[in-house]
Amino acid sequence: MIAFLSDFGPGSPYVGQVHAVIELLSGGKVKVVDLAHDIPSFSIHAGAYILYSSLRLFKRGTVFLVVVDPGVGSNREPIAVQTRNYFFVGPNNGVLWPVIERDGFVKAVILDNDRFWLKPTSYTFHGRDIFAPAATMLALGVDIESLGSPLSIDRLVQLDIRRVREVDDGYCLDVIHIDKFGNVALSATREDTILENVCVDGHTIICIRNDCIRAKCVKTFSEAKPGELTVYYNSFDFVELAVYMGSAAEKLSITGGDEICMKRPRV
Amino acid sequence: MIAFLSDFGPGSPYVGQVHAVIELLSGGKVKVVDLAHDIPSFSIHAGAYILYSSLRLFKRGTVFLVVVDPGVGSNREPIAVQTRNYFFVGPNNGVLWPVIERDGFVKAVILDNDRFWLKPTSYTFHGRDIFAPAATMLALGVDIESLGSPLSIDRLVQLDIRRVREVDDGYCLDVIHIDKFGNVALSATREDTILENVCVDGHTIICIRNDCIRAKCVKTFSEAKPGELTVYYNSFDFVELAVYMGSAAEKLSITGGDEICMKRPRV
Amino acid sequence: MIAFLSDFGPGSPYVGQVHAVIELLSGGKVKVVDLAHDIPSFSIHAGAYILYSSLRLFKRGTVFLVVVDPGVGSNREPIAVQTRNYFFVGPNNGVLWPVIERDGFVKAVILDNDRFWLKPTSYTFHGRDIFAPAATMLALGVDIESLGSPLSIDRLVQLDIRRVREVDDGYCLDVIHIDKFGNVALSATREDTILENVCVDGHTIICIRNDCIRAKCVKTFSEAKPGELTVYYNSFDFVELAVYMGSAAEKLSITGGDEICMKRPRV
């Protein structure tokens, strides 16, 4: 099975053409689950976060086709990676790094065996012409080593989606994803025990740029009143800001790339 | 088969993760048809309307997985309902009521048998952790009663998507859905014979707040001139406003929740 | 197999209901690949362009269900067309013309045999009620001639998605598609050798209305600096404008329907 993640936009012809290629090359034998296609354009962090958080929902042997690829056609390498339980196909730009680190690197190749490329091969759509064929081959059981030249782990581009910067009275985190409801995911997981540290009497202070606002520490946003800002571990196990029946991103004017600081309230 | 309806947004990772869970738990044995994922966030009325209007297109035994769930994590109950021809899984917030009433209640349960929940179970994503597993079990033929405690029909939250308020010279209806083209569906069906009452000589008067405008009563918007406001029974059999080659929602500044009144023109 | 293309919007209930009908009428025997649903509302040119560019990715015998149908319910005919390698079902409004011309016309029918229509048949959703059943029948091997009355090729509405207007020092082209990244596809393909003519020393001049701007002629946008305007043959083999790590449509305020002129720079 292939799990397909991209920033192509839902319902876009790029998504459709990738499906068509997998269908064509596999003779309809490979099933595709669309993991997400609403990743903001070029957002490697958001793609890496969704992939990292979804891994455990897929059975051993699943091939992840990951196309968040702002550098398509440049010298960033198209790669395939085998980890302990999965295969990953995508650009060597960091988007695959967190899952490789998490699941355990086994081996990797550069997809330079053009025998497997779709012909004619475009310069701007490697998702369709190089990545989709490679993912299809892996899903059909083709040996990863036949897809190209070996690549050692130290040549993989790294990416940190769990960046935690310690400051006086708390921590600063990156915005790594904003969902359709305006919920804002931040760069720390339950394992980083941030909320345990910054919540006092069920509240914390959220600062963005120079504005600070009180937020309620909850298990789920519906513990709050409509309009109230909350913070909790989301269903992907990351720290998240939300407004019950509203949009945290709008309320705080947050956009991707912002840094959010969380501080212990003075009591 | 599972028919899946949500307000998660097309191409969102929430949709993808639900697909992944169904695939994982069923070993790929259960087919999923995505009915709609562009329901406006938290819009129980729009979700209920789409579900109600789509029922007849699915074969007997279909399991409808319906996740329009603003109260996730609160005390609203997660439920499964069997009707004469179908199964429904979702929150007990009214979104399922119109189809239950239409198809005929047989039995219902609260999804409190946590043996079937995905673990660890989140507080904010019951669509993935409680509803999707329940829908998968029903699609695989598991007895609904094994999923949790019985719930009687009088404990189901009710919802009216066919609210018609009679006024002098006509009727007032709720906006229940605005589609991608700006067509505006209202809370009455062909059976309510509204248009038969308010159309005189092929025209009616549409009022929103204090503004009234003449509209052409048609069978299809293309009977009108580009830009002209029309009203007709839409393909879901509900009263709908449209502008041929344009957007009725924009032309009239209509948003969800508005009330629209339709009056017989004086002749 | 059915390849399904529409302007219904990703995740919309119209897409879902068409899937439901195909599933219902075929008893689950027909596979559907969603080619694209983000075509701008009523944009026959964009639909024709995506279809034309995707054809080669589908195996012989594929049935294309194409619903970009602003005139639904008017006197435009619902048709099915057989070409050398494929079947096409959709409105006779030009959206099918470029692929028919490309693949070679064999025969066509008007879908007027209402025995195959979904009942009750709506006036506004022929995609679900007339086109989807016809596509399903073709995918199941039903003879095209049983679907309705013969239609000769000269009664097919024509459409030109490769309009090239020669001017002093260059060519003017139509904007036929703007993708999610803001890349702007124009009405000429690699075969029209436009870039070979207007690029001098790796640059050309792009004019929209009365504003002209220098653009870099490249193989892929990543050859440029972030923010720089580029022009190249895209992965669909059409001329395209892009800004590396940005949006060409935004930078140049381009919308669908605009005409773009490309001129040889004076050297």
Side-chain angles (χ1 to χ4, degrees):
Chain A
M1 197 186 66
I2 292 175
F4 177 21
L5 173 71
S6 81
D7 67 348
F8 290 159
S12 88
Y14 304 122
V15 171
Q17 289 200 346
V18 165
H19 276 265
V21 166
I22 295 170
E23 180 72 20
L24 187 72
L25 297 182
S26 73
K29 284 198 194 67
V30 171
K31 195 168 194 170
V32 183
V33 168
D34 289 291
L35 178 50
H37 297 298
D38 69 346
I39 305 296
S41 303
F42 321 131
S43 178
I44 294 171
H45 276 84
Y49 158 72
I50 298 300
L51 182 60
Y52 182 87
S53 308
S54 303
L55 212 56
R56 68 179 179 90
L57 302 173
F58 290 87
K59 73 164 186 287
R60 207 180 139 83
T62 296
V63 179
F64 290 85
L65 171 58
V66 182
V67 196
V68 182
D69 190 17
V72 60
S74 73
N75 60 359
R76 71 90 191 90
E77 297 124 336
I79 60 173
V81 181
Q82 184 177 349
T83 60
R84 270 197 225 122
N85 298 290
Y86 302 108
F87 295 94
F88 300 92
V89 175
N92 186 13
N93 64 11
V95 70
L96 301 180
W97 180 255
V99 286
I100 292 168
E101 212 183 9
R102 179 176 189 160
D103 197 47
F105 179 84
V106 174
K107 64 179 77 157
V109 298
I110 302 179
L111 299 170
D112 56 10
N113 183 349
D114 63 11
R115 187 165 71 82
F116 290 105
W117 298 2
L118 196 71
K119 307 286 163 35
T121 310
S122 70
Y123 292 93
T124 50
F125 193 3
H126 290 180
R128 179 192 67 193
D129 298 342
I130 298 180
F131 298 136
T136 306
M137 291 306 117
L138 290 171
L140 289 172
V142 167
D143 190 339
I144 189 171
E145 290 175 352
S146 67
L147 299 176
S149 317
L151 188 74
S152 63
I153 187 169
D154 54 282
R155 287 188 47 207
L156 295 178
V157 174
Q158 302 194 0
L159 183 81
D160 189 5
I161 57 169
R162 289 173 60 183
R163 195 190 68 94
V164 176
R165 185 163 70 86
E166 206 162 340
V167 291
D168 271 6
D169 290 331
Y171 305 92
C172 294
L173 307 174
D174 297 323
V175 170
I176 51 171
H177 189 247
I178 299 172
D179 77 7
K180 182 240 190 184
F181 301 96
N183 302 335
V184 179
L186 302 177
S187 59
T189 76
R190 192 185 293 273
E191 296 164 11
D192 301 311
T193 61
I194 300 289
L195 297 188
E196 289 74 359
N197 270 285
V198 298
C199 292
V200 177
D201 287 342
H203 286 86
T204 185
I205 305 295
I206 304 291
C207 300
I208 168 165
R209 287 169 300 255
N210 292 317
D211 295 328
C212 293
I213 181 175
R214 197 176 152 85
K216 191 171 181 180
C217 300
V218 296
K219 284 194 171 158
T220 171
F221 32 77
S222 61
E223 288 174 35
K225 289 187 287 287
E228 196 177 7
L229 183 65
T230 64
V231 59
Y232 54 93
Y233 293 117
N234 71 12
S235 62
F236 295 4
D237 262 352
F238 277 69
V239 175
E240 186 166 275
L241 304 175
V243 164
Y244 184 41
M245 298 297 283
S247 162
E250 252 179 49
K251 186 186 176 88
L252 305 178
S253 301
I254 294 172
T255 56
D258 279 334
E259 190 186 57
I260 303 278
C261 299
M262 307 182 61
K263 303 192 173 177
R264 272 181 296 281
R266 303 248 167 72
V267 280
Chain B
M1 197 186 66
I2 292 175
F4 178 21
L5 173 71
S6 81
D7 66 348
F8 289 159
S12 88
Y14 304 123
V15 171
Q17 289 200 346
V18 165
H19 276 266
V21 166
I22 295 169
E23 180 72 20
L24 186 72
L25 297 182
S26 73
K29 284 198 194 68
V30 171
K31 195 169 195 170
V32 183
V33 168
D34 290 291
L35 178 49
H37 297 298
D38 69 345
I39 305 295
S41 303
F42 321 132
S43 179
I44 295 171
H45 276 84
Y49 158 72
I50 299 300
L51 182 60
Y52 182 88
S53 307
S54 303
L55 212 56
R56 68 179 179 91
L57 302 174
F58 291 88
K59 73 165 185 287
R60 207 180 139 84
T62 296
V63 179
F64 290 86
L65 171 58
V66 181
V67 196
V68 182
D69 190 17
V72 60
S74 73
N75 60 359
R76 71 90 191 89
E77 297 124 335
I79 60 173
V81 182
Q82 184 177 349
T83 60
R84 269 197 224 121
N85 298 290
Y86 301 108
F87 295 94
F88 300 93
V89 174
N92 185 13
N93 64 10
V95 70
L96 301 179
W97 180 255
V99 285
I100 293 168
E101 212 183 9
R102 179 175 188 160
D103 197 46
F105 179 84
V106 174
K107 63 179 77 157
V109 298
I110 302 180
L111 299 170
D112 55 11
N113 183 349
D114 62 12
R115 188 165 72 82
F116 290 105
W117 298 2
L118 196 71
K119 307 286 164 35
T121 309
S122 70
Y123 292 93
T124 50
F125 193 2
H126 290 180
R128 178 192 67 193
D129 298 341
I130 298 180
F131 298 135
T136 307
M137 292 306 117
L138 290 172
L140 289 172
V142 167
D143 191 340
I144 189 171
E145 291 175 352
S146 66
L147 299 177
S149 317
L151 188 75
S152 63
I153 186 169
D154 54 281
R155 287 188 46 207
L156 295 178
V157 173
Q158 303 194 359
L159 183 81
D160 189 5
I161 57 169
R162 288 173 61 182
R163 195 189 69 93
V164 175
R165 186 162 70 85
E166 205 161 341
V167 291
D168 271 6
D169 290 332
Y171 305 92
C172 294
L173 308 174
D174 297 322
V175 170
I176 51 172
H177 189 248
I178 299 173
D179 76 7
K180 182 239 190 184
F181 301 95
N183 301 335
V184 179
L186 303 176
S187 58
T189 75
R190 192 185 294 274
E191 296 164 11
D192 301 311
T193 61
I194 300 290
L195 298 188
E196 289 74 359
N197 270 285
V198 298
C199 292
V200 177
D201 287 342
H203 285 86
T204 185
I205 305 296
I206 304 292
C207 300
I208 168 164
R209 288 169 299 256
N210 292 317
D211 294 328
C212 293
I213 182 176
R214 199 176 151 85
K216 191 170 180 180
C217 300
V218 296
K219 285 194 170 158
T220 172
F221 32 77
S222 61
E223 288 174 35
K225 288 187 288 286
E228 196 178 6
L229 183 65
T230 63
V231 58
Y232 53 93
Y233 294 116
N234 71 11
S235 62
F236 295 3
D237 262 352
F238 277 69
V239 175
E240 186 166 274
L241 304 175
V243 164
Y244 184 40
M245 298 297 284
S247 162
E250 252 179 49
K251 187 186 176 88
L252 305 177
S253 302
I254 293 172
T255 56
D258 280 334
E259 191 186 58
I260 303 278
C261 300
M262 306 182 62
K263 304 191 174 178
R264 272 180 296 281
R266 304 247 167 73
V267 280
Chain C
M1 197 186 66
I2 292 175
F4 177 22
L5 173 71
S6 81
D7 66 348
F8 289 159
S12 88
Y14 304 122
V15 171
Q17 290 200 346
V18 164
H19 276 265
V21 166
I22 295 169
E23 180 72 20
L24 187 72
L25 297 183
S26 73
K29 284 198 194 68
V30 171
K31 195 168 195 170
V32 183
V33 168
D34 289 292
L35 178 50
H37 297 299
D38 70 345
I39 305 296
S41 303
F42 321 131
S43 178
I44 294 171
H45 276 84
Y49 159 72
I50 299 300
L51 182 60
Y52 182 87
S53 308
S54 303
L55 212 56
R56 68 180 179 91
L57 303 173
F58 291 87
K59 72 164 187 286
R60 207 180 139 83
T62 296
V63 179
F64 290 86
L65 171 59
V66 182
V67 196
V68 182
D69 190 17
V72 60
S74 73
N75 60 359
R76 71 89 192 90
E77 297 124 335
I79 60 173
V81 182
Q82 184 177 349
T83 60
R84 269 197 224 121
N85 298 290
Y86 302 109
F87 295 94
F88 300 92
V89 174
N92 185 12
N93 64 10
V95 70
L96 302 179
W97 180 255
V99 286
I100 293 168
E101 212 183 9
R102 179 176 188 159
D103 198 47
F105 179 84
V106 174
K107 63 179 78 156
V109 298
I110 302 180
L111 299 170
D112 56 10
N113 183 349
D114 63 12
R115 187 164 73 81
F116 291 105
W117 298 2
L118 196 71
K119 307 285 162 38
T121 310
S122 70
Y123 291 94
T124 50
F125 193 3
H126 289 180
R128 179 191 67 192
D129 298 341
I130 299 180
F131 297 136
T136 306
M137 292 306 117
L138 289 171
L140 289 172
V142 167
D143 190 340
I144 190 171
E145 290 175 354
S146 66
L147 299 176
S149 318
L151 188 75
S152 63
I153 187 169
D154 54 282
R155 287 189 44 208
L156 295 178
V157 173
Q158 303 195 0
L159 183 80
D160 189 4
I161 57 168
R162 288 173 62 183
R163 195 190 67 94
V164 176
R165 185 163 70 86
E166 206 161 340
V167 291
D168 270 5
D169 290 332
Y171 305 91
C172 294
L173 307 174
D174 297 322
V175 170
I176 51 171
H177 189 248
I178 299 173
D179 76 7
K180 182 240 190 184
F181 301 95
N183 301 335
V184 179
L186 303 176
S187 58
T189 76
R190 193 185 293 274
E191 296 164 11
D192 301 310
T193 62
I194 300 290
L195 298 188
E196 289 75 358
N197 270 285
V198 298
C199 292
V200 177
D201 287 342
H203 286 86
T204 185
I205 305 295
I206 304 292
C207 300
I208 168 165
R209 287 169 300 255
N210 292 318
D211 294 328
C212 293
I213 181 176
R214 199 175 151 85
K216 191 170 179 181
C217 300
V218 296
K219 284 194 171 158
T220 171
F221 31 78
S222 61
E223 288 174 36
K225 289 186 288 287
E228 196 178 7
L229 183 65
T230 64
V231 59
Y232 54 93
Y233 293 116
N234 71 11
S235 62
F236 295 3
D237 262 352
F238 276 69
V239 174
E240 186 167 274
L241 304 175
V243 164
Y244 183 41
M245 298 297 283
S247 162
E250 253 179 49
K251 187 186 176 88
L252 305 178
S253 302
I254 293 172
T255 56
D258 279 334
E259 190 186 58
I260 303 279
C261 299
M262 307 182 62
K263 303 191 174 179
R264 272 181 297 280
R266 304 248 166 73
V267 281

